[in-house]
Amino acid sequence: MSVQTGTDELEVWVDQDLCTGDGLCVQYAPEVFEFDIDGLAYVKDSAGELLQSPGVRTGVPAHLVLEVIDSAKECPGDCIHVVRASDDVEVAGPEAED
């Protein structure tokens, strides 16, 4: 599911190697993030299916843009990456410019 924020579509992914399993992302945006049996957070596709391949991205639904960005900013493991699909620039997460 793609989303427009201004003119930019956003995608999100989780680096499970850095995930602490704290769960803020799942609390903020349960439509986008979910825990697997390993206790780590993963993203879900628009149908709600868990995407378990490393580095796999999913579109950020328009009504959850702020929640997903807040998840990336508040994540204690700095493992959530929100990027513009058009140019792959990180807008929230550990590699985003402030």
Side-chain angles (χ1 to χ4, degrees):
M1 179 175 196
S2 294
V3 143
Q4 293 285 338
T5 57
T7 59
D8 298 315
E9 293 182 3
L10 296 180
E11 297 178 330
V12 61
W13 64 280
V14 176
D15 183 344
Q16 282 77 29
D17 289 337
L18 299 176
C19 181
T20 61
D22 189 78
L24 287 175
C25 58
V26 176
Q27 292 174 5
Y28 281 25
E31 291 176 49
V32 177
F33 303 102
E34 184 175 318
F35 284 126
D36 197 12
I37 58 172
D38 60 7
L40 302 177
Y42 293 81
V43 293
K44 299 190 289 187
D45 65 16
S46 60
E49 294 295 319
L50 204 62
L51 303 175
Q52 296 172 303
S53 299
V56 68
R57 298 176 179 188
T58 193
V60 178
H63 66 285
L64 292 174
V65 167
L66 293 178
E67 288 85 349
V68 169
I69 289 173
D70 285 347
S71 295
K73 289 181 177 180
E74 300 297 324
C75 177
D78 282 332
C79 66
I80 300 171
H81 302 263
V82 182
V83 299
R84 283 193 306 249
S86 61
D87 59 8
D88 219 31
V89 170
E90 189 156 315
V91 298
E95 297 172 15
E97 294 184 18
D98 291 327

